[in-house]
Amino acid sequence: MRLWAAVTWLALGTFGATAQTITDARFTGPTDRYAHGILGDAIEWGTLEIDVARDGETRTLRIDLPEDHVFEDVAPRLWDLTGDGSPEVVVVETDVYQGGALAVYGATGKLDETPHIGQRNRWLAPIGAADLDGDGVIEVAYIDRPHLARTLRVWRFEGGRLRHAAALGGLTNHRIGERDIAGGIRSCAGAPEMILATADWARLVAVTFDGEAFKVTDIGPHQNRQSFAKALACK
C-alpha cells in the first residue's frame, strides 16, 4: 500500500482571514534511499519546508515524503505560476520506481504535478516559468531527461493544474554530476526566451514559444557557465 506525503505545520500561529503568502522554502531530511546521484552525490531530500506568512505572522508547512519518493533537486524554486504576485513552490519530485516529475506546492500543500517519466533513474531539469506566449497564462518549462531524451517540454499552469502544451527535441541544460542546472528564462527584447544548450553542448540557443510553435535562435558557442550567465544578462 502506498504511503502519501505527511503534511504538518511547524511554528503554529493563529492566522486571520487574509491571504497566505509563501515567503521561503527549503529541503531538509537528507536521505540516501534513492542512489541515482545525478547531481553529483547519492544524497537527496525527504522533506520540503515552506514558510507561509499571513497578518504579520509566519508559520512553516512541512511535507514529509513517503519512502518511495524523494526531492531530487538543487533547491526549491519560488515561481509565481498564477500571476497574482505571490509565488508557488516548484520542485523535482521523484518516485524511486517511476523517475522524476515536476511538482507544484502552494501554501496548504501540493497543487499538481506532471506525470512521472515512467522509469527509475530518469530525471528532468527545470528551466523557468513565464507567460511565454503572451496569453496571460503562465507556462512552466523543463528539459525531460537532459542526458538522454534531451527534450524541452512546456506546460501551462491554469486553474491550479498543469497541462502539457508542447515539446521540442535536441536541447539540454545539465550534464551528469553537475551540481547546478544551466540556463533559464530571460527577457531582453520584451518577450521571454529560454536559454539552453544544443544536445551536443556546442552552441547556446534562445528558444521562444508562441503558443503553438517554437523558434530557436543560435546565440553563440557554449564554453562554460559564464556563457549562460552572459546570455541571461542579455550580453
Side-chain angles (χ1 to χ4, degrees):
M1 181 176 68
R2 178 180 294 280
L3 298 176
W4 299 103
V7 179
T8 56
W9 286 102
L10 307 177
L12 291 175
T14 301
F15 278 180
T18 55
Q20 301 180 77
T21 302
I22 294 171
T23 59
D24 198 10
R26 61 204 157 269
F27 294 132
T28 61
T31 178
D32 62 359
R33 65 186 184 232
Y34 182 61
H36 188 195
I38 206 69
L39 289 164
D41 60 34
I43 302 300
E44 309 304 343
W45 306 97
T47 299
L48 171 65
E49 292 184 352
I50 302 173
D51 293 339
V52 181
R54 181 190 278 180
D55 292 338
E57 296 184 16
T58 299
R59 62 179 182 175
T60 300
L61 180 70
R62 174 171 170 154
I63 296 98
D64 291 303
L65 292 180
E67 289 296 309
D68 60 358
H69 280 67
V70 296
F71 295 110
E72 191 179 14
D73 208 345
V74 295
R77 298 157 192 82
L78 269 59
W79 291 345
D80 180 9
L81 302 190
T82 61
D84 65 355
S86 298
E88 284 68 44
V89 179
V90 180
V91 295
V92 180
E93 186 173 326
T94 294
D95 181 307
V96 301
Y97 304 108
Q98 295 296 317
L102 192 79
V104 180
Y105 283 83
T108 58
K110 184 181 286 186
L111 300 176
D112 201 10
E113 66 179 9
T114 66
H116 291 273
I117 291 170
Q119 183 177 343
R120 181 180 178 87
N121 293 344
R122 297 296 183 265
W123 184 68
L124 61 88
I127 300 166
D131 181 2
L132 295 175
D133 56 4
D135 66 352
V137 176
I138 303 298
E139 283 83 28
V140 186
Y142 63 74
I143 297 293
D144 176 358
R145 291 160 288 173
H147 325 112
L148 295 170
R150 300 180 178 91
T151 299
L152 166 63
R153 294 195 182 276
V154 173
W155 295 74
R156 289 190 174 94
F157 189 77
E158 192 169 17
R161 293 292 180 263
L162 289 160
R163 179 170 60 86
H164 190 255
L168 178 67
L171 301 167
T172 190
N173 60 350
H174 185 267
R175 288 179 287 197
I176 294 173
E178 291 178 334
R179 301 193 66 82
D180 66 333
I181 297 170
I185 297 180
R186 73 179 187 183
S187 184
C188 299
E193 298 174 299
M194 293 170 277
I195 303 303
L196 300 165
T198 53
D200 60 2
W201 286 92
R203 310 292 296 180
L204 290 188
V205 294
V207 183
T208 58
F209 177 62
D210 66 5
E212 296 183 1
F214 294 97
K215 179 182 177 181
V216 181
T217 302
D218 187 299
I219 56 174
H222 168 260
Q223 296 175 325
N224 49 39
R225 284 294 191 268
Q226 187 61 30
S227 302
F228 281 99
K230 290 177 65 177
L232 290 169
C234 305
K235 296 180 179 178

